[in-house]
C-alpha cells in the first residue's frame, strides 16, 4: 500500500482547532445596531469565520457583505481582509480555483503581515494540488515576509509547509530539516498543537522511509500532546496513520483496531471527509490482508469491498485522482481473490485512468515559471552587456579620431614633399585615391558587420539563454526535477538547440551573401521536396494546420539554400502572426505561368500594414533590435537569386507573400 493520509498543512484560520468559540447570538445582535463603518466590516468578517465550519452559504454571504461595505468605504485593509476570508472559506471546502481568485485579489490591498498569511495559504493550495513548483515559490515568499516582520509563529508554520513540499518531491532529508526547525520554534513558543502536527508529519516521513519504529515513536509523542488539546480531527488522523504503519508491518488486527478508534474520535457533526475516506481505505486493505492470510475468507473480502466502496465515494466527492487510483487498485485485488475477473479488469482499467490523470498533472511543463523567477537576473546581465557595448563604441570612436589625426599628418607630409618632387606627388595622389576607396569599402564593411552582430545579439540570445537557464537549474536545484520532467526539459532544450543551428546556418548564408565574390549556386530541384522539408521543420507548431498545393510536380532552377531560407523565414513570420488566432492555418502553394514560377505563403492571421513590410523593399530601412534579421535577410537573399517578393495583407483576414522566379526555357525542360 503506497499511500499516506497527507501531511497536515499549517495555514491561517483553516483549522477548526485554531478557532475560538464565539458568541454568535451576541455578534448578530450587535450587528443590527452597528453603523456602516470599518467596525461593521470587522463584525461581518468574524461572523463569516464562525459560520465557515457549520453553514457555508451563510459564511460566504457575510463575507461578501463585508467586501461590499469595505469597497463602499474605500477601505483598503478591509477589502484585503474580506477577500482573504472568502479565500479561506473556499479553501476549507476544497474549491481551490475560487479560493485562489480571492487570495490574489486580497494581495493587491494587503499589508505585509497579511501578505505572509496569503502566501502561506496559496502555497498550501498548490501543495494540496501536488503542484510543488508553485507551492515552493509562494511558501518562500511567505517565509521572507514573515522573517521581515519578525513573526516567529508564522515562520514555524511556513517551515512545516516547506517540509511538506520536500516530502511531496521525496526529498526526505530536507523535509526532516524543515520539520525539525518548525518543531524547535513551536517548543520555544509553547505551541503544543502545532508541535503535535509537526511530530505527526515527521512520523509520516519515517513511514515513507520504511522505518516503522521511528514513525510510531513520533506518532506516540503527537498523541500525548494532543490528549491535552482534545482535538478530534488531529487525533483521528494520527490513529489512522498508526493503522497504516501496522498494516505495512502485516499486523492487520491492530490496523483495523486503530481505524475503528479513529472513526470514534470524530464527532458526527464534525467529520472530515478526507480522514474518513483514508480510514476506509486502510480498513479495506487490511481486510484484504486478513483474507489472504485466511484462504480468501468471504467475510473479510465482503468487508474489504464495503470499506473500499465508501472510500471511493468520498474520494470522488473530493475529486482526489491519486486516492481513487489506490482505491480501484485495491478493488482489483479483491475481485481477483473472489474469482470475479471481469470486475477485476474493470477496476484495473479505472485505476489506470486515474493514474494517468495524476501522472499528466504532475508532469506539466513548468519551465516558463522557472524562467520568470530568474527574470531580474537576466535583465541585470543584459544591462552589463549593454554597458560593455557602450564602452567598446567609445573606444572605437577614440581610435577613429586618432586615425583621422594620423591621416592628416601623413597628408601634410605628402603635401610638403609634393613641392620637391612632382612625379612622386602624382604617384601619391593615385595612392591617396586608392586609400580613400579602401576606406569607403572598409566603412561599408563595418556597417554590415555592425548590422549583422546587432541581429545576432537579438535573434540568438533567447535560445542560448534557455540552454544556460536549464544548465543552471540542473546544477543548482536538481531536487526540483524528477526524471520525467528532466527528460521533457532536455527534449525541448535539444529542439531549441537544433533550431538555433538552423538559424545560424541561415545567418551564415546571408553573411556570405554580403561578400564580394560569393555567388549563389543554382541547381534543378522539385518544389515538393522544399515543401516537405518545411513541414518537417515546423512540426513543433502542431497547433497550426499546414497545407501545400503542388500537384504539377514543378521543377525550379535556383539556389536551393537561398530559396529554402527565404521560405523558412517567411513561414516563421506567419507562425508568429498566428499566436493569438483560433484555428490557425498556413498554406504553401506553387504554380507556373509560361516561363515564370510563382510560390506563395498564406496565413489567416490578423494581418498587418504595408509599412511593417518596408524593410522587404527599402535598402535604406534601419536594422535594429525590433526589426531583427527577418525581412532584411529575405530582401538580400531574394535579390541575390533574382527573386521578386510582393505582399498582400488585410486586417483580420491574413497575409499573402508571393515569390516570383523567372526561368530560362532550357531550365524548364
Amino acid at each position: 500500500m503506497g499511500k499516506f493520509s497527507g501531511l497536515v498543512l499549517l495555514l491561517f484560520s483553516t483549522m477548526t482547532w485554531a478557532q475560538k468559540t464565539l458568541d454568535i447570538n451576541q455578534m448578530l445582535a450587535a450587528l443590527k445596531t452597528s453603523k456602516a463603518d470599518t467596525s461593521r466590516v470587522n463584525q461581518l468578517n468574524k461572523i463569516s469565520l464562525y459560520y465557515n465550519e457549520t453553514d457555508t452559504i451563510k459564511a460566504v454571504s457575510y463575507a461578501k457583505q463585508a467586501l461590499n461595505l469595505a469597497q463602499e468605504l474605500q477601505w483598503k485593509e478591509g477589502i484585503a481582509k474580506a477577500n482573504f476570508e472568502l479565500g479561506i472559506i473556499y479553501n476549507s471546502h476544497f474549491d481551490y480555483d475560487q479560493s485562489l481568485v480571492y487570495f490574489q485579489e486580497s494581495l493587491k490591498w494587503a499589508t505585509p503581515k497579511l501578505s505572509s498569511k496569503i502566501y502561506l495559504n496559496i502555497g498550501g493550495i498548490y501543495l494540496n494540488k501536488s503542484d510543488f513548483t508553485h507551492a515552493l515559490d509562494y511558501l518562500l515568499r511567505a517565509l521572507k515576509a514573515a522573517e521581515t516582520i519578525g513573526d516567529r509563529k508564522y515562520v514555524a508554520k511556513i517551515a512545516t509547509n516547506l517540509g511538506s513540499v520536500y516530502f511531496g518531491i521525496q526529498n526526505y532529508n530536507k523535509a526532516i530539516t524543515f520539520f525539525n526547525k518548525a518543531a524547535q520554534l513551536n517548543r520555544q513558543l509553547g505551541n503544543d498543537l502545532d508541535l503535535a502536527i509537526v511530530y505527526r508529519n515527521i512520523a509520516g516521513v519515517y513511514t515513507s522511509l520504511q522505518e516503522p519504529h521511528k514513525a510510531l515513536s513520533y506518532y506516540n509523542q503527537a498523541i500525548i500532546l494532543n490528549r491535552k488539546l482534545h482535538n478530534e480531527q488531529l487525533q483521528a488522523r494520527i490513529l489512522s496513520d498508526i493503522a497504516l504503519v501496522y498494516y505495512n508491518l502485516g499486523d492487520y488486527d491492530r490496523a483495523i483496531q486503530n481505524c475503528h478508534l479513529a472513526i470514534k474520535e470524530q464527532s458526527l457533526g464534525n467529520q472530515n471527509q478526507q480522514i474518513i475516506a483514508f480510514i476506509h481505505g486502510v480498513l479495506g486493505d487490511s481486510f484484504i490482508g486478513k483474507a489472504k492470510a485466511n484462504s480468501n475468507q468471504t467475510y473479510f473480502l465482503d468487508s474489504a469491498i464495503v470499506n473500499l466502496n465508501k472510500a471511493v465515494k468520498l474520494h470522488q466527492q473530493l475529486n482526489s485522482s491519486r486516492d481513487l487510483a489506490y482505491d480501484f487498485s485495491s478493488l482489483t485485488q479483491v475481485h481477483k481473490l473472489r474469482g470475479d475477473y471481469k470486475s477485476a479488469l474493470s477496476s484495473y482499467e479505472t485505476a489506470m485512468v486515474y493514474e494517468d490523470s495524476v501522472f499528466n498533472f504532475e508532469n506539466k511543463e513548468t519551465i516558463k515559471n522557472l524562467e520568470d523567477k530568474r527574470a531580474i537576473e537576466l535583465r541585470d546581465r543584459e544591462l552589463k552587456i549593454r554597458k560593455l557595448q557602450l564602452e567598446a563604441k567609445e573606444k572605437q570612436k577614440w581610435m577613429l579620431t586618432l586615425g583621422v589625426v594620423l591621416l592628416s599628418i601623413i597628408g601634410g607630409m605628402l603635401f610638403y614633399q609634393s613641392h620637391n618632387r612632382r612625379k612622386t606627388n602624382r604617384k601619391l595622389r593615385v595612392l591617396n585615391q586608392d586609400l580613400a576607396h579602401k576606406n569607403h569599402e572598409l566603412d561599408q564593411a563595418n556597417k554590415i558587420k555592425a548590422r549583422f552582430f546587432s541581429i545576432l545579439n537579438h535573434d540568438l540570445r533567447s535560445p542560448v539563454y534557455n540552454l544556460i537557464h536549464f544548465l543552471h537549474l540542473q546544477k543548482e536545484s536538481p531536487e526540483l526535477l524528477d526524471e520525467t520532467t528532466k527528460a521533457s526539459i532536455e527534449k525541448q532544450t535539444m529542439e531549441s538547440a537544433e533550431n538555433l543551428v538552423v538559424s545560424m546556418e541561415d545567418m551564415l548564408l546571408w553573411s556570405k551573401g554580403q561578400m564580394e565574390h560569393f555567388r549563389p549556386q543554382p541547381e534543378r530541384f522539385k518544389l515538393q521536396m522544399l515543401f516537405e522539408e518545411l513541414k518537417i521543420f515546423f512540426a513543433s507548431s502542431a497547433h497550426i494546420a499546414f497545407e501545400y498545393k503542388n500537384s504539377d510536380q514543378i521543377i525550379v532552377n535556383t539556389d536551393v539554400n537561398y530559396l529554402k531560407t527565404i521560405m523558412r523565414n517567411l513561414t516563421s513570420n506567419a507562425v508568429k502572426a498566428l499566436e493569438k488566432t483560433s484555428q490557425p492555418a498556413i498554406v504553401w502553394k506553387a504554380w507556373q505561368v509560361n516561363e515564370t514560377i510563382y510560390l506563395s505563403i498564406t496565413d489567416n492571421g490578423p494581418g498587418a500594414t504595408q509599412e511593417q513590410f518596408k524593410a522587404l523593399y527599402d535598402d535604406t530601412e534601419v536594422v535594429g533590435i525590433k526589426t531583427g534579421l527577418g525581412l532584411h535577410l529575405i530582401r538580400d537573399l531574394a535579390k541575390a537569386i533574382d527573386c521578386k517578393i510582393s505582399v498582400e495583407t488585410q486586417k483580420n483576414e491574413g497575409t499573402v507573400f508571393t515569390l516570383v522566379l523567372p526561368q530560362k526555357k532550357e531550365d524548364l525542360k
Side-chain angles (χ1 to χ4, degrees):
M1 179 176 183
K3 56 185 176 180
F4 174 52
S5 64
L7 300 181
V8 175
L9 310 180
L10 293 180
L11 307 179
F12 178 78
S13 300
T14 59
M15 300 299 165
T16 305
W17 56 78
Q19 298 175 3
K20 298 179 180 179
T21 303
L22 303 173
D23 188 347
I24 188 63
N25 294 326
Q26 184 178 357
M27 286 195 296
L28 290 172
L31 185 66
K32 293 179 181 179
T33 59
S34 65
K35 297 180 180 180
D37 55 14
T38 57
S39 298
R40 183 178 177 86
V41 174
N42 290 330
Q43 286 178 310
L44 289 167
N45 278 328
K46 289 180 180 179
I47 295 171
S48 170
L49 184 62
Y50 174 85
Y51 280 120
N52 186 29
E53 293 296 329
T54 58
D55 191 331
T56 304
I57 296 176
K58 285 186 177 180
V60 172
S61 174
Y62 281 107
K64 287 188 174 180
Q65 290 181 49
L67 178 59
N68 292 334
L69 180 56
Q71 289 173 336
E72 290 177 8
L73 297 171
Q74 297 183 351
W75 183 33
K76 295 181 179 180
E77 185 178 349
I79 295 172
K81 288 182 178 178
N83 276 298
F84 178 67
E85 292 300 334
L86 284 164
I88 291 295
I89 294 168
Y90 285 105
N91 186 14
S92 61
H93 291 83
F94 311 108
D95 189 346
Y96 297 138
D97 291 338
Q98 193 64 34
S99 178
L100 285 173
V101 170
Y102 284 110
F103 281 145
Q104 293 292 355
E105 185 64 26
S106 181
L107 277 175
K108 298 177 182 178
W109 313 92
T111 60
K113 184 175 183 179
L114 183 58
S115 294
S116 69
K117 298 173 184 177
I118 298 170
Y119 288 139
L120 174 59
N121 279 273
I122 294 177
I125 289 174
Y126 284 119
L127 186 53
N128 282 328
K129 295 172 72 174
S130 298
D131 187 344
F132 300 117
T133 299
H134 282 93
L136 185 61
D137 180 18
Y138 279 97
L139 289 174
L140 289 175
R141 295 188 201 182
L143 181 63
K144 182 178 180 180
E147 289 177 341
T148 300
I149 61 177
D151 195 331
R152 298 172 67 205
K153 176 182 176 182
Y154 277 95
V155 170
K157 291 180 183 291
I158 296 163
T160 301
N161 287 356
L162 284 168
S164 300
V165 170
Y166 286 107
F167 178 87
I169 60 177
Q170 299 180 359
N171 189 335
Y172 300 126
N173 289 332
K174 280 195 174 182
I176 290 177
T177 298
F178 278 104
F179 286 144
N180 284 334
K181 178 180 180 179
Q184 181 181 4
L185 286 171
N186 285 318
R187 281 193 293 267
Q188 294 172 357
L189 296 169
N191 294 335
D192 288 344
L193 176 59
D194 290 357
L195 183 59
I197 292 171
V198 173
Y199 282 154
R200 185 247 174 191
N201 290 349
I202 294 174
V205 176
Y206 284 118
T207 299
S208 297
L209 290 171
Q210 298 182 358
E211 298 185 40
H213 298 296
K214 285 187 178 181
L216 289 173
S217 173
Y218 277 99
Y219 281 135
N220 288 330
Q221 292 183 63
I223 285 179
I224 292 171
L225 284 172
N226 194 49
R227 281 174 183 165
K228 298 182 293 183
L229 302 169
H230 305 293
N231 188 286
E232 296 175 351
Q233 288 190 16
L234 180 57
Q235 196 76 350
R237 281 185 182 271
I238 298 171
L239 289 168
S240 65
D241 294 335
I242 292 174
L244 178 61
V245 175
Y246 283 121
Y247 168 82
N248 291 331
L249 290 171
D251 191 343
Y252 304 121
D253 289 327
R254 283 195 179 184
I256 294 170
Q257 179 184 3
N258 277 278
C259 284
H260 289 309
L261 290 173
I263 292 175
K264 288 181 181 179
E265 282 293 333
Q266 298 225 82
S267 60
L268 294 176
N270 192 28
Q271 288 189 340
N272 185 294
Q273 284 185 310
Q274 284 184 324
I275 301 174
I276 295 297
F278 178 77
I279 292 171
H280 284 299
V282 177
L283 279 170
D285 287 338
S286 298
F287 280 118
I288 292 175
K290 285 184 69 67
K292 290 180 179 179
N294 292 276
S295 301
N296 298 343
Q297 189 169 336
T298 304
Y299 168 77
F300 295 128
L301 293 176
D302 290 341
S303 298
I305 288 180
V306 169
N307 282 283
L308 289 172
N309 283 334
K310 289 181 179 179
V312 167
K313 183 178 180 180
L314 290 169
H315 284 141
Q316 285 174 338
Q317 293 174 4
L318 294 169
N319 195 27
S320 178
S321 298
R322 186 192 304 275
D323 292 315
L324 286 167
Y326 290 138
D327 295 338
F328 279 103
S329 294
S330 298
L331 282 170
T332 301
Q333 292 187 54
V334 177
H335 292 310
K336 286 174 65 178
L337 292 172
R338 297 182 69 174
D340 187 354
Y341 296 106
K342 182 177 180 181
S343 298
L345 178 60
S346 176
S347 297
Y348 175 77
E349 290 174 344
T350 305
M352 289 302 99
V353 170
Y354 284 114
E355 283 190 10
D356 289 343
S357 174
V358 172
F359 177 83
N360 291 334
F361 174 79
E362 291 183 348
N363 290 277
K364 285 183 178 178
E365 183 58 56
T366 60
I367 192 67
K368 182 179 182 302
N369 295 323
L370 295 174
E371 288 174 345
D372 290 340
K373 293 178 183 178
R374 301 185 182 270
I376 295 176
E377 180 183 350
L378 295 178
R379 283 197 296 268
D380 289 342
R381 291 179 181 177
E382 280 190 79
L383 289 174
K384 290 180 181 178
I385 291 172
R386 290 177 183 176
K387 182 179 179 181
L388 291 174
Q389 289 174 338
L390 289 173
E391 290 175 354
K393 289 181 179 179
E394 188 69 19
K395 290 180 181 179
Q396 185 180 26
K397 183 182 72 173
W398 284 108
M399 291 296 292
L400 289 172
T401 303
L402 180 60
V404 171
V405 172
L406 290 174
L407 287 174
S408 300
I409 294 172
I410 293 171
M413 292 174 65
L414 293 173
F415 180 78
Y416 175 78
Q417 290 178 358
S418 67
H419 288 285
N420 300 322
R421 300 178 64 180
R422 183 174 297 178
K423 184 177 179 180
T424 303
N425 187 47
R426 285 197 296 268
K427 292 181 179 179
L428 288 175
R429 186 179 298 111
V430 172
L431 290 173
N432 282 332
Q433 290 176 350
D434 182 67
L435 180 61
H437 178 68
K438 293 297 183 181
N439 282 336
H440 176 73
E441 290 182 343
L442 179 61
D443 182 63
Q444 292 299 315
N446 284 335
K447 289 180 180 179
I448 291 173
K449 191 186 303 179
R451 178 171 64 181
F452 179 75
F453 282 110
S454 68
I455 291 166
L456 219 62
N457 181 50
H458 175 256
D459 286 344
L460 300 186
R461 185 191 304 125
S462 178
V464 173
Y465 274 170
N466 285 341
L467 181 58
I468 292 173
H469 170 74
F470 170 68
L471 294 176
H472 276 300
L473 177 63
Q474 192 175 38
K475 177 181 178 182
E476 299 172 2
S477 305
E479 69 277 6
L480 297 180
L481 299 174
D482 56 28
E483 289 301 319
T484 305
T485 304
K486 183 179 178 181
S488 175
I489 296 176
E490 286 178 345
K491 179 181 178 183
Q492 290 197 357
T493 304
M494 184 64 70
E495 291 175 352
S496 177
E498 290 173 354
N499 288 338
L500 174 60
V501 171
V502 174
S503 298
M504 290 177 67
E505 290 177 352
D506 291 348
M507 293 178 189
L508 180 60
L509 179 63
W510 176 76
S511 64
K512 286 182 178 179
Q514 303 298 317
M515 299 179 186
E516 181 178 356
H517 301 294
F518 184 77
R519 294 289 182 269
Q521 300 296 322
E523 60 179 292
R524 288 165 55 85
F525 62 95
K526 290 183 178 181
L527 287 176
Q528 183 177 357
M529 174 272 291
L530 173 63
F531 290 146
E532 289 174 351
E533 288 189 11
L534 287 172
K535 194 167 185 179
I536 293 172
F537 183 84
F538 291 100
S540 61
S541 302
H543 64 289
I544 299 177
F546 289 93
E547 178 185 2
Y548 65 89
K549 299 178 180 180
N550 182 24
S551 59
D552 296 330
Q553 298 294 307
I554 298 173
I555 296 176
V556 65
N557 185 53
T558 188
D559 190 298
V560 63
N561 292 315
Y562 275 66
L563 185 58
K564 187 193 306 181
T565 302
I566 293 169
M567 292 291 289
R568 189 159 56 218
N569 277 273
L570 289 174
T571 304
S572 294
N573 289 342
V575 170
K576 293 177 182 178
L578 292 171
E579 288 180 351
K580 298 182 180 179
T581 300
S582 61
Q583 298 182 344
I586 294 177
V587 177
W588 296 303
K589 184 178 179 182
W591 68 97
Q592 182 175 338
V593 179
N594 297 326
E595 298 175 5
T596 303
I597 292 176
Y598 298 86
L599 293 88
S600 68
I601 300 172
T602 305
D603 67 71
N604 61 344
T609 64
Q610 287 293 335
E611 182 66 19
Q612 291 176 271
F613 301 108
K614 186 177 179 181
L616 197 59
Y617 309 103
D618 189 357
D619 290 343
T620 63
E621 178 70 4
V622 177
V623 181
I625 294 300
K626 293 185 177 179
T627 55
L629 181 59
L631 298 179
H632 300 83
L633 182 150
I634 295 167
R635 180 193 67 208
D636 292 343
L637 296 184
K639 185 177 180 180
I641 61 173
D642 297 324
C643 173
K644 295 183 179 179
I645 302 176
S646 62
V647 184
E648 294 180 11
T649 181
Q650 293 186 12
K651 189 174 182 181
N652 300 323
E653 291 187 15
T655 301
V656 180
F657 290 91
T658 303
L659 281 67
V660 182
L661 291 164
Q663 302 287 294
K664 298 179 181 179
K665 287 184 179 181
E666 55 269 21
D667 295 333
L668 299 174
K669 294 180 180 180

